[in-house]
Amino acid sequence: MWPPVSDLQEEGKNAINSSLSPASVDIHPEDTLLEENEERTMIDPTSKEDPKFKELVKVLIDWVNDVLVEERIIVKQLEEDLYDGQVLQKLLEKLGDCKLNVAEVTQSEIGQKQKLQTVLEAVHELLRPHGWVLRWNVDAIHGKNLVAILHLLISLAMHFRAPIRLPEHVSVQVVVVRKREGLLHSNHITEELTTTSEMMMGRFERDAFDTLFDHAPDKLSVVKKSLITFANKHLNKLNLEVTELESQFADGVYLVLLMGLLENYFVPLHNFYLTPDSFDQKVHNVAFAFELMLDGGLKKPKARPEDVVNLDLKSTLRVLYNLFTKYKNVE
């Protein structure tokens, strides 16, 4: 799940409405053409020169171009190439293996916004059920708001597990300009783009399971059989048996019970849903199992609870393999 907006950002947003000061930064002429009480945001020029920010932009541009190489689309500048929805449409269709019902080319602003609305609605249908905070909208993207575009691309990259590594600790100073009583006022907000969490630091690095799936699928059945044998060695004590990894661990119940067996303790039934009947309840169970793993001294799983619930075999294998490596000698 996407991290909540930081306190610093909230303070910044509150400051916009409380203590706006006369603009003291260099503002482009087009940014001064505001109606009364209209607001515009832009990245402080010094932030754009930050090496980590430049690296983030480059990584994302290279990723988009790599995804769209067969479409013969080359993105050079994010805000200029993605604002009208055309490239975003192609990107989402390629990543999601789907086809959006939108006009291929549209020149009018109304047509561009309608297309962008359709594309973003498709993005939201993908991200919202998994708890992502959506930090963009049609007006921001079409208005070439680079921060909004970056948030969108980062979320897509994380959702689709892009094979890239994002630089950590990237934040920018955003200048908010508003016209009040005929005068321009500005305020600065610190906007965090990436964190040092596992999602940012290591989630995109390829590991043995990526290699297994891509280059040695014939060995996949051997790994699955070994993990099933390991799980049943302990779950059989409760008269439970695993035959299918993805489906039987997807609701988190077996994971919770397995952790209790491996660590030799009883897990109180009020801590998880023994018969979950909704997506959220299943996510709760898997997340709770992850907490038990951390308490047991394991590293935080690279998989998200949502990935396990969504029957993602690779994520489930990663979780079980971590258990196997620590508890393989437990009787």
Side-chain angles (χ1 to χ4, degrees):
M1 185 179 295
W2 188 261
V5 180
S6 68
D7 293 339
L8 186 58
Q9 287 174 262
E10 288 295 340
E11 291 174 6
K13 290 176 181 176
N14 292 335
I16 297 174
N17 298 317
S18 60
S19 59
L20 286 170
S21 58
S24 59
V25 298
D26 294 332
I27 300 175
H28 295 293
E30 61 268 23
D31 293 322
T32 65
L33 303 176
L34 305 177
E35 300 293 333
E36 184 67 17
N37 290 322
E38 186 182 352
E39 182 179 285
R40 187 162 299 170
T41 62
M42 64 211 77
I43 298 177
D44 189 291
T46 57
S47 289
K48 284 190 173 183
E49 296 304 314
D50 184 277
K52 286 188 177 180
F53 177 80
K54 288 184 174 182
E55 180 186 355
L56 174 65
V57 172
K58 184 180 185 304
V59 168
L60 291 172
I61 289 177
D62 289 346
W63 170 60
V64 171
N65 285 332
D66 185 56
V67 172
L68 298 178
V69 63
E70 294 181 1
E71 301 289 333
R72 297 183 179 179
I73 293 175
I74 299 178
V75 171
K76 295 182 178 179
Q77 200 171 359
L78 293 177
E79 60 267 48
E80 295 297 332
D81 295 333
L82 272 64
Y83 80 96
D84 62 359
Q86 182 76 12
V87 174
L88 284 175
Q89 174 206 340
K90 297 295 184 183
L91 181 65
L92 184 60
E93 288 179 340
K94 197 73 175 179
L95 292 170
D97 192 23
C98 61
K99 184 67 177 177
L100 300 181
N101 185 25
V102 293
E104 282 300 312
V105 179
T106 177
Q107 299 296 329
S108 70
E109 180 177 337
I110 294 178
Q112 289 173 352
K113 286 189 173 183
Q114 288 176 340
K115 178 172 188 169
L116 194 55
Q117 179 69 40
T118 301
V119 174
L120 293 185
E121 284 177 357
V123 171
H124 297 168
E125 287 179 8
L126 278 174
L127 301 183
R128 191 178 283 117
H130 302 297
W132 293 88
V133 176
L134 310 179
R135 301 180 182 180
W136 56 84
N137 55 39
V138 171
D139 288 336
I141 301 297
H142 194 268
K144 303 180 181 181
N145 184 320
L146 182 54
V147 171
I149 293 172
L150 289 172
H151 277 311
L152 172 58
L153 290 179
I154 291 169
S155 297
L156 287 175
M158 294 178 69
H159 179 80
F160 287 104
R161 294 184 169 276
I164 58 178
R165 183 183 177 91
L166 300 178
E168 59 187 85
H169 259 326
V170 181
S171 61
V172 292
Q173 286 289 315
V174 176
V175 183
V176 182
V177 180
R178 176 185 292 175
K179 179 174 283 189
R180 177 178 293 175
E181 297 180 355
L183 297 176
L184 293 178
H185 297 261
S186 68
N187 194 39
H188 283 72
I189 302 173
T190 300
E191 186 84 14
E192 189 176 70
L193 295 172
T194 68
T195 69
T196 56
S197 69
E198 176 115 333
M199 288 187 296
M200 291 301 180
M201 292 176 66
R203 187 163 168 185
F204 304 116
E205 293 182 25
R206 293 179 60 80
D207 61 13
F209 284 100
D210 291 311
T211 303
L212 185 68
F213 273 70
D214 294 346
H215 304 294
D218 55 311
K219 296 181 180 178
L220 182 59
S221 60
V222 177
V223 175
K224 291 175 66 175
K225 184 177 180 179
S226 297
L227 293 177
I228 287 175
T229 300
F230 163 74
N232 283 333
K233 174 183 176 182
H234 302 281
L235 290 173
N236 285 167
K237 299 171 185 176
L238 298 177
N239 295 319
L240 300 174
E241 184 173 4
V242 175
T243 57
E244 184 65 34
L245 289 179
E246 306 101 296
S247 59
Q248 288 182 271
F249 283 97
D251 63 7
V253 175
Y254 278 18
L255 276 178
V256 172
L257 296 176
L258 183 58
M259 278 305 303
L261 290 165
L262 293 171
E263 287 288 343
N264 196 28
Y265 58 67
F266 174 76
V267 182
L269 298 181
H270 66 265
N271 284 338
F272 68 105
Y273 300 93
L274 193 58
T275 56
D277 57 7
S278 70
F279 183 87
D280 288 342
Q281 289 180 358
K282 294 175 183 178
V283 170
H284 169 87
N285 282 355
V286 178
F288 177 59
F290 285 5
E291 291 177 13
L292 297 180
M293 293 174 196
L294 290 175
D295 291 341
L298 280 79
K299 292 182 179 180
K300 183 178 180 181
K302 287 187 176 182
R304 297 182 307 161
E306 292 88 345
D307 297 328
V308 176
V309 174
N310 283 327
L311 308 180
D312 181 64
L313 177 58
K314 195 184 298 185
S315 296
T316 304
L317 289 177
R318 284 189 174 107
V319 173
L320 291 174
Y321 186 75
N322 282 342
L323 295 179
F324 173 77
T325 54
K326 179 173 181 179
Y327 299 104
K328 59 185 176 182
N329 295 322
V330 174
E331 293 298 325

Coordinates of all heavy atoms in Angstrom, one line a residue, residues 92-164:
L92 N -0.5 1.8 -20.5 CA -1.4 1.0 -19.7 C -1.8 -0.2 -20.5 O -1.9 -1.3 -20.0 CB -2.6 1.8 -19.3 CG -3.6 1.1 -18.4 CD1 -2.9 0.7 -17.1 CD2 -4.8 2.0 -18.1
E93 N -2.1 -0.1 -21.8 CA -2.5 -1.2 -22.6 C -1.4 -2.3 -22.7 O -1.7 -3.5 -22.6 CB -2.9 -0.7 -24.1 CG -4.2 0.0 -24.1 CD -4.5 0.5 -25.5 OE1 -3.6 0.6 -26.4 OE2 -5.7 0.8 -25.8
K94 N -0.2 -1.8 -22.8 CA 0.9 -2.7 -22.9 C 1.2 -3.4 -21.5 O 1.4 -4.6 -21.5 CB 2.2 -2.0 -23.3 CG 3.3 -2.8 -23.8 CD 3.0 -3.4 -25.2 CE 4.2 -4.1 -25.7 NZ 3.9 -4.7 -27.1
L95 N 1.2 -2.6 -20.4 CA 1.4 -3.2 -19.1 C 0.3 -4.1 -18.7 O 0.5 -5.2 -18.1 CB 1.6 -2.1 -18.1 CG 2.8 -1.2 -18.2 CD1 2.7 0.0 -17.3 CD2 4.1 -2.0 -17.9
G96 N -1.0 -3.7 -18.9 CA -2.1 -4.5 -18.5 C -2.6 -5.5 -19.5 O -3.6 -6.2 -19.2
D97 N -2.0 -5.5 -20.7 CA -2.4 -6.5 -21.7 C -3.9 -6.3 -22.0 O -4.7 -7.2 -21.9 CB -2.1 -7.9 -21.3 CG -2.3 -8.9 -22.5 OD1 -2.2 -8.4 -23.7 OD2 -2.5 -10.1 -22.3
C98 N -4.3 -5.0 -22.2 CA -5.7 -4.7 -22.5 C -5.9 -3.7 -23.6 O -4.9 -3.3 -24.1 CB -6.4 -4.2 -21.2 SG -5.6 -2.6 -20.7
K99 N -7.1 -3.4 -24.0 CA -7.4 -2.5 -25.0 C -8.4 -1.5 -24.5 O -9.5 -1.9 -24.1 CB -7.9 -3.2 -26.3 CG -8.1 -2.2 -27.4 CD -6.8 -1.7 -28.0 CE -7.0 -0.8 -29.2 NZ -5.8 -0.2 -29.7
L100 N -8.1 -0.2 -24.5 CA -9.0 0.8 -24.0 C -9.8 1.4 -25.2 O -9.3 1.6 -26.3 CB -8.2 2.0 -23.4 CG -7.4 1.6 -22.1 CD1 -6.7 2.8 -21.6 CD2 -8.2 0.9 -21.1
N101 N -11.0 1.7 -24.9 CA -11.9 2.2 -25.9 C -11.9 3.7 -26.0 O -12.7 4.4 -25.4 CB -13.4 1.7 -25.7 CG -14.3 2.1 -26.8 OD1 -13.9 2.3 -27.9 ND2 -15.6 2.2 -26.4
V102 N -10.8 4.2 -26.6 CA -10.7 5.6 -26.8 C -10.2 6.0 -28.2 O -9.7 5.1 -28.9 CB -9.6 6.2 -25.8 CG1 -10.1 6.0 -24.3 CG2 -8.3 5.4 -25.9
A103 N -10.4 7.2 -28.6 CA -10.0 7.7 -29.9 C -8.5 7.6 -29.9 O -7.8 8.0 -29.0 CB -10.5 9.1 -30.1
E104 N -7.9 7.2 -31.0 CA -6.5 7.1 -31.2 C -5.8 8.4 -31.1 O -4.8 8.6 -30.4 CB -6.1 6.4 -32.5 CG -6.3 4.9 -32.4 CD -5.4 4.2 -31.4 OE1 -4.2 4.5 -31.3 OE2 -6.0 3.4 -30.6
V105 N -6.2 9.4 -31.9 CA -5.6 10.7 -31.9 C -6.7 11.8 -31.8 O -7.7 11.7 -32.4 CB -4.8 10.9 -33.2 CG1 -4.2 12.3 -33.2 CG2 -3.8 9.9 -33.4
T106 N -6.4 12.7 -30.9 CA -7.3 13.9 -30.7 C -6.5 15.1 -30.5 O -5.6 15.1 -29.7 CB -8.3 13.6 -29.6 OG1 -9.2 14.7 -29.4 CG2 -7.6 13.3 -28.3
Q107 N -6.9 16.2 -31.1 CA -6.1 17.4 -31.0 C -6.8 18.5 -30.1 O -6.1 19.3 -29.5 CB -5.9 18.1 -32.4 CG -5.2 17.2 -33.4 CD -3.7 17.0 -33.0 OE1 -3.1 17.8 -32.3 NE2 -3.2 15.8 -33.3
S108 N -8.1 18.4 -30.0 CA -8.8 19.4 -29.1 C -8.5 19.2 -27.7 O -8.3 18.0 -27.2 CB -10.3 19.4 -29.4 OG -10.9 18.2 -28.9
E109 N -8.6 20.2 -26.9 CA -8.3 20.1 -25.4 C -9.4 19.3 -24.8 O -9.2 18.4 -23.9 CB -8.3 21.5 -24.8 CG -8.1 21.5 -23.3 CD -8.0 22.8 -22.7 OE1 -7.6 23.8 -23.4 OE2 -8.2 23.0 -21.5
I110 N -10.7 19.5 -25.3 CA -11.8 18.7 -24.7 C -11.6 17.2 -25.0 O -11.8 16.4 -24.2 CB -13.1 19.2 -25.3 CG1 -13.4 20.6 -24.8 CG2 -14.3 18.3 -24.9 CD1 -14.7 21.2 -25.4
G111 N -11.2 16.9 -26.3 CA -11.0 15.5 -26.7 C -9.8 14.9 -25.9 O -9.9 13.7 -25.5
Q112 N -8.8 15.7 -25.7 CA -7.6 15.2 -24.9 C -8.0 14.8 -23.5 O -7.6 13.8 -22.9 CB -6.5 16.2 -24.9 CG -5.8 16.3 -26.3 CD -4.8 17.5 -26.3 OE1 -4.7 18.2 -25.4 NE2 -4.0 17.6 -27.4
K113 N -8.8 15.7 -22.9 CA -9.2 15.5 -21.5 C -10.2 14.4 -21.3 O -10.1 13.6 -20.4 CB -9.8 16.8 -20.9 CG -8.8 17.9 -20.6 CD -9.4 19.0 -19.8 CE -8.4 20.0 -19.3 NZ -8.9 21.1 -18.5
Q114 N -11.0 14.2 -22.3 CA -11.9 13.0 -22.3 C -11.2 11.7 -22.4 O -11.4 10.8 -21.7 CB -13.0 13.1 -23.5 CG -14.0 14.2 -23.3 CD -14.9 14.4 -24.4 OE1 -14.6 14.0 -25.6 NE2 -16.1 15.0 -24.2
K115 N -10.2 11.7 -23.3 CA -9.3 10.5 -23.4 C -8.6 10.3 -22.2 O -8.5 9.1 -21.7 CB -8.4 10.7 -24.6 CG -7.4 9.6 -24.8 CD -6.6 9.7 -26.1 CE -5.8 8.5 -26.5 NZ -5.3 8.5 -27.8
L116 N -8.0 11.3 -21.6 CA -7.2 11.2 -20.4 C -8.1 10.7 -19.2 O -7.6 9.9 -18.4 CB -6.6 12.6 -20.0 CG -5.5 12.6 -19.0 CD1 -4.3 11.7 -19.3 CD2 -5.0 14.1 -18.8
Q117 N -9.3 11.2 -19.2 CA -10.3 10.7 -18.2 C -10.5 9.2 -18.3 O -10.5 8.5 -17.2 CB -11.6 11.5 -18.3 CG -12.6 11.1 -17.3 CD -12.3 11.5 -15.9 OE1 -11.8 12.6 -15.7 NE2 -12.5 10.7 -14.9
T118 N -10.7 8.7 -19.5 CA -10.9 7.3 -19.7 C -9.7 6.5 -19.2 O -9.8 5.4 -18.6 CB -11.2 7.0 -21.1 OG1 -12.4 7.7 -21.5 CG2 -11.4 5.5 -21.4
V119 N -8.5 7.0 -19.6 CA -7.2 6.3 -19.3 C -7.1 6.2 -17.8 O -6.7 5.2 -17.2 CB -6.0 6.9 -19.9 CG1 -4.7 6.3 -19.5 CG2 -6.1 6.8 -21.5
L120 N -7.3 7.4 -17.1 CA -7.0 7.5 -15.7 C -8.1 6.6 -14.9 O -7.8 6.1 -13.8 CB -7.1 8.9 -15.2 CG -5.9 9.8 -15.7 CD1 -6.0 11.2 -15.0 CD2 -4.6 9.1 -15.4
E121 N -9.3 6.6 -15.4 CA -10.3 5.7 -14.8 C -9.9 4.3 -14.8 O -10.1 3.5 -13.8 CB -11.7 5.9 -15.5 CG -12.4 7.2 -15.1 CD -13.7 7.4 -15.9 OE1 -14.0 6.5 -16.7 OE2 -14.4 8.4 -15.6
A122 N -9.3 3.9 -15.9 CA -8.8 2.5 -16.0 C -7.6 2.3 -15.0 O -7.5 1.2 -14.4 CB -8.3 2.2 -17.4
V123 N -6.7 3.3 -14.9 CA -5.7 3.2 -13.9 C -6.2 3.1 -12.5 O -5.8 2.2 -11.7 CB -4.7 4.4 -14.0 CG1 -3.7 4.4 -12.8 CG2 -4.0 4.4 -15.3
H124 N -7.2 3.9 -12.2 CA -7.8 3.9 -10.8 C -8.5 2.5 -10.5 O -8.4 2.1 -9.4 CB -8.8 5.0 -10.7 CG -8.2 6.4 -10.9 ND1 -8.9 7.5 -11.0 CD2 -6.9 6.7 -10.9 CE1 -8.1 8.6 -11.2 NE2 -6.8 8.1 -11.1
E125 N -9.1 1.9 -11.5 CA -9.7 0.6 -11.3 C -8.7 -0.4 -10.9 O -8.9 -1.4 -10.2 CB -10.5 0.2 -12.6 CG -11.8 0.9 -12.8 CD -12.5 0.5 -14.1 OE1 -12.0 -0.5 -14.7 OE2 -13.4 1.1 -14.5
L126 N -7.4 -0.3 -11.4 CA -6.4 -1.2 -11.1 C -5.8 -0.9 -9.7 O -5.6 -1.8 -8.9 CB -5.2 -1.0 -12.1 CG -5.3 -1.7 -13.4 CD1 -4.1 -1.3 -14.3 CD2 -5.3 -3.2 -13.3
L127 N -5.6 0.4 -9.4 CA -4.8 0.7 -8.2 C -5.7 0.9 -6.9 O -5.3 0.5 -5.8 CB -4.1 2.0 -8.4 CG -3.1 2.1 -9.6 CD1 -2.4 3.4 -9.6 CD2 -2.1 0.9 -9.4
R128 N -6.9 1.4 -7.1 CA -7.7 1.8 -5.9 C -8.1 0.5 -5.0 O -8.0 0.6 -3.8 CB -9.0 2.5 -6.3 CG -9.8 3.1 -5.2 CD -11.0 3.8 -5.6 NE -10.7 5.1 -6.2 CZ -11.0 5.5 -7.4 NH1 -11.5 4.6 -8.2 NH2 -10.7 6.7 -7.8
P129 N -8.4 -0.6 -5.6 CA -8.7 -1.8 -4.7 C -7.5 -2.2 -3.9 O -7.7 -2.9 -2.9 CB -9.1 -2.9 -5.8 CG -9.5 -2.2 -7.0 CD -8.6 -0.9 -7.0
H130 N -6.3 -1.8 -4.2 CA -5.1 -2.2 -3.5 C -4.7 -1.2 -2.5 O -3.6 -1.3 -1.9 CB -4.0 -2.6 -4.4 CG -4.4 -3.7 -5.4 ND1 -4.7 -5.0 -5.0 CD2 -4.5 -3.7 -6.7 CE1 -5.0 -5.7 -6.0 NE2 -4.9 -5.0 -7.1
G131 N -5.5 -0.1 -2.3 CA -5.2 0.9 -1.3 C -4.3 2.0 -1.7 O -3.8 2.7 -0.8
W132 N -4.0 2.1 -3.0 CA -3.1 3.2 -3.4 C -3.7 4.5 -3.2 O -4.9 4.7 -3.5 CB -2.7 3.0 -4.9 CG -1.9 1.8 -5.2 CD1 -2.4 0.5 -5.5 CD2 -0.5 1.7 -5.3 NE1 -1.4 -0.3 -5.7 CE2 -0.2 0.4 -5.6 CE3 0.5 2.6 -5.1 CZ2 1.1 -0.1 -5.7 CZ3 1.8 2.2 -5.2 CH2 2.1 0.8 -5.5
V133 N -3.0 5.5 -2.8 CA -3.4 6.9 -2.7 C -3.2 7.5 -4.1 O -2.0 7.5 -4.6 CB -2.7 7.7 -1.6 CG1 -3.1 9.1 -1.7 CG2 -2.9 7.1 -0.3
L134 N -4.2 8.0 -4.7 CA -4.1 8.6 -6.1 C -3.8 10.1 -6.0 O -4.7 10.9 -5.6 CB -5.5 8.3 -6.8 CG -6.0 6.9 -6.7 CD1 -7.3 6.8 -7.5 CD2 -5.0 5.9 -7.3
R135 N -2.6 10.4 -6.3 CA -2.1 11.8 -6.2 C -2.1 12.5 -7.5 O -1.2 13.3 -7.8 CB -0.7 11.8 -5.6 CG -0.7 11.1 -4.2 CD 0.7 11.2 -3.6 NE 0.7 10.5 -2.3 CZ 1.8 10.4 -1.6 NH1 3.0 10.9 -2.0 NH2 1.8 9.8 -0.4
W136 N -3.1 12.3 -8.3 CA -3.1 13.0 -9.6 C -4.6 13.0 -10.1 O -5.5 12.3 -9.5 CB -2.3 12.2 -10.7 CG -2.7 10.8 -10.8 CD1 -3.8 10.3 -11.5 CD2 -2.2 9.7 -10.0 NE1 -3.9 8.9 -11.3 CE2 -3.0 8.5 -10.4 CE3 -1.2 9.5 -9.1 CZ2 -2.7 7.2 -9.9 CZ3 -0.9 8.2 -8.6 CH2 -1.7 7.1 -9.0
N137 N -4.9 13.9 -11.1 CA -6.2 13.9 -11.7 C -6.0 14.4 -13.1 O -4.9 14.7 -13.6 CB -7.2 14.8 -10.9 CG -6.6 16.2 -10.7 OD1 -6.0 16.8 -11.5 ND2 -6.8 16.8 -9.4
V138 N -7.1 14.5 -13.8 CA -7.1 14.9 -15.2 C -6.5 16.3 -15.4 O -5.6 16.5 -16.2 CB -8.5 14.9 -15.8 CG1 -8.5 15.5 -17.2 CG2 -9.0 13.4 -15.9
D139 N -6.9 17.2 -14.6 CA -6.4 18.6 -14.7 C -4.9 18.7 -14.5 O -4.2 19.4 -15.1 CB -7.2 19.6 -13.8 CG -8.6 19.8 -14.3 OD1 -8.9 19.6 -15.5 OD2 -9.5 20.1 -13.4
A140 N -4.5 17.9 -13.5 CA -3.0 18.0 -13.1 C -2.2 17.4 -14.2 O -1.2 18.0 -14.7 CB -2.8 17.3 -11.8
I141 N -2.6 16.3 -14.8 CA -1.8 15.6 -15.8 C -1.9 16.4 -17.1 O -0.8 16.7 -17.7 CB -2.4 14.2 -16.1 CG1 -2.3 13.3 -14.9 CG2 -1.6 13.6 -17.3 CD1 -0.9 13.1 -14.4
H142 N -3.1 16.9 -17.5 CA -3.2 17.7 -18.7 C -2.5 19.1 -18.5 O -2.1 19.6 -19.5 CB -4.7 17.9 -19.1 CG -4.9 18.4 -20.5 ND1 -5.0 19.7 -20.8 CD2 -5.0 17.7 -21.7 CE1 -5.1 19.9 -22.1 NE2 -5.1 18.7 -22.6
G143 N -2.5 19.5 -17.3 CA -1.8 20.8 -17.0 C -0.3 20.7 -17.0 O 0.4 21.6 -16.6
K144 N 0.3 19.5 -17.3 CA 1.7 19.2 -17.3 C 2.4 19.3 -16.0 O 3.5 19.8 -15.8 CB 2.4 20.1 -18.4 CG 1.8 19.9 -19.8 CD 2.5 20.8 -20.8 CE 1.9 20.7 -22.2 NZ 2.6 21.5 -23.2
N145 N 1.6 18.9 -14.9 CA 2.1 19.0 -13.6 C 3.1 17.8 -13.4 O 2.6 16.6 -13.3 CB 1.0 18.9 -12.5 CG 1.4 19.0 -11.1 OD1 2.5 18.4 -10.7 ND2 0.7 19.7 -10.3
L146 N 4.4 18.0 -13.4 CA 5.3 17.0 -13.4 C 5.3 16.1 -12.2 O 5.5 14.9 -12.2 CB 6.8 17.5 -13.6 CG 7.9 16.5 -13.7 CD1 7.7 15.5 -14.8 CD2 9.2 17.3 -13.9
V147 N 5.0 16.7 -11.0 CA 4.9 15.9 -9.8 C 3.8 14.9 -9.9 O 3.9 13.7 -9.5 CB 4.7 16.9 -8.6 CG1 4.4 16.0 -7.3 CG2 5.9 17.7 -8.3
A148 N 2.6 15.3 -10.4 CA 1.5 14.4 -10.5 C 1.8 13.3 -11.5 O 1.5 12.1 -11.3 CB 0.3 15.2 -11.0
I149 N 2.5 13.6 -12.6 CA 2.9 12.6 -13.6 C 3.9 11.6 -13.0 O 3.8 10.4 -13.2 CB 3.5 13.3 -14.8 CG1 2.4 14.1 -15.6 CG2 4.1 12.3 -15.8 CD1 2.9 15.0 -16.7
L150 N 4.8 12.1 -12.2 CA 5.8 11.2 -11.5 C 5.1 10.3 -10.6 O 5.4 9.1 -10.5 CB 6.8 12.0 -10.8 CG 7.8 12.8 -11.7 CD1 8.7 13.7 -10.9 CD2 8.7 11.8 -12.5
H151 N 4.1 10.8 -9.8 CA 3.4 10.0 -8.8 C 2.7 8.9 -9.6 O 2.6 7.7 -9.2 CB 2.4 10.8 -8.0 CG 3.0 11.5 -6.8 ND1 3.7 10.8 -5.9 CD2 2.9 12.8 -6.4 CE1 4.1 11.7 -5.0 NE2 3.6 12.9 -5.3
L152 N 2.1 9.2 -10.7 CA 1.3 8.2 -11.5 C 2.3 7.1 -12.1 O 2.0 5.9 -11.9 CB 0.6 9.0 -12.7 CG 0.0 8.1 -13.8 CD1 -1.1 7.2 -13.1 CD2 -0.6 9.0 -14.9
L153 N 3.4 7.5 -12.6 CA 4.3 6.6 -13.2 C 4.9 5.7 -12.1 O 5.1 4.5 -12.3 CB 5.4 7.3 -14.0 CG 5.0 7.9 -15.3 CD1 6.2 8.6 -15.9 CD2 4.4 6.9 -16.3
I154 N 5.3 6.2 -11.0 CA 5.8 5.5 -9.9 C 4.8 4.4 -9.4 O 5.2 3.2 -9.2 CB 6.3 6.4 -8.7 CG1 7.5 7.2 -9.1 CG2 6.6 5.6 -7.5 CD1 7.8 8.3 -8.2
S155 N 3.6 4.8 -9.3 CA 2.5 3.9 -8.8 C 2.3 2.7 -9.9 O 2.2 1.6 -9.5 CB 1.2 4.6 -8.7 OG 1.3 5.6 -7.6
L156 N 2.4 3.1 -11.2 CA 2.2 2.1 -12.2 C 3.4 1.1 -12.2 O 3.3 -0.1 -12.3 CB 2.1 2.7 -13.6 CG 0.7 3.4 -13.9 CD1 0.8 4.1 -15.2 CD2 -0.4 2.3 -13.9
A157 N 4.6 1.7 -12.0 CA 5.8 0.9 -12.0 C 5.8 -0.1 -10.8 O 6.2 -1.3 -10.9 CB 7.1 1.8 -11.9
M158 N 5.3 0.3 -9.7 CA 5.3 -0.5 -8.5 C 4.2 -1.6 -8.6 O 4.4 -2.7 -8.3 CB 5.1 0.3 -7.2 CG 6.2 1.2 -6.9 SD 5.9 2.2 -5.5 CE 6.0 1.0 -4.2
H159 N 3.0 -1.2 -9.2 CA 1.9 -2.1 -9.3 C 2.3 -3.2 -10.3 O 2.0 -4.4 -10.0 CB 0.7 -1.4 -9.8 CG -0.5 -2.3 -10.0 ND1 -1.3 -2.7 -9.0 CD2 -1.0 -2.8 -11.2 CE1 -2.2 -3.5 -9.5 NE2 -2.1 -3.6 -10.8
F160 N 2.9 -2.9 -11.4 CA 3.3 -3.9 -12.4 C 4.7 -4.5 -12.2 O 5.2 -5.2 -13.0 CB 3.2 -3.3 -13.8 CG 1.8 -3.1 -14.2 CD1 1.2 -1.8 -14.2 CD2 1.0 -4.1 -14.6 CE1 -0.1 -1.6 -14.6 CE2 -0.3 -3.9 -15.0 CZ -0.9 -2.6 -15.0
R161 N 5.3 -4.2 -11.0 CA 6.6 -4.7 -10.7 C 7.6 -4.5 -11.8 O 8.2 -5.5 -12.3 CB 6.5 -6.2 -10.3 CG 5.6 -6.5 -9.1 CD 5.6 -7.9 -8.8 NE 5.0 -8.1 -7.4 CZ 5.7 -8.0 -6.3 NH1 7.0 -7.7 -6.3 NH2 5.1 -8.2 -5.1
A162 N 7.8 -3.3 -12.2 CA 8.8 -3.0 -13.2 C 10.2 -3.4 -12.8 O 10.6 -3.2 -11.7 CB 8.7 -1.4 -13.5
P163 N 10.9 -3.9 -13.7 CA 12.3 -4.4 -13.4 C 13.3 -3.2 -13.4 O 14.3 -3.1 -14.1 CB 12.6 -5.3 -14.6 CG 11.8 -4.7 -15.7 CD 10.6 -4.2 -15.1
I164 N 13.0 -2.3 -12.5 CA 13.8 -1.1 -12.4 C 14.1 -0.8 -10.9 O 13.4 -1.4 -10.0 CB 13.2 0.2 -13.0 CG1 11.8 0.5 -12.3 CG2 13.0 0.0 -14.5 CD1 11.1 1.7 -12.8

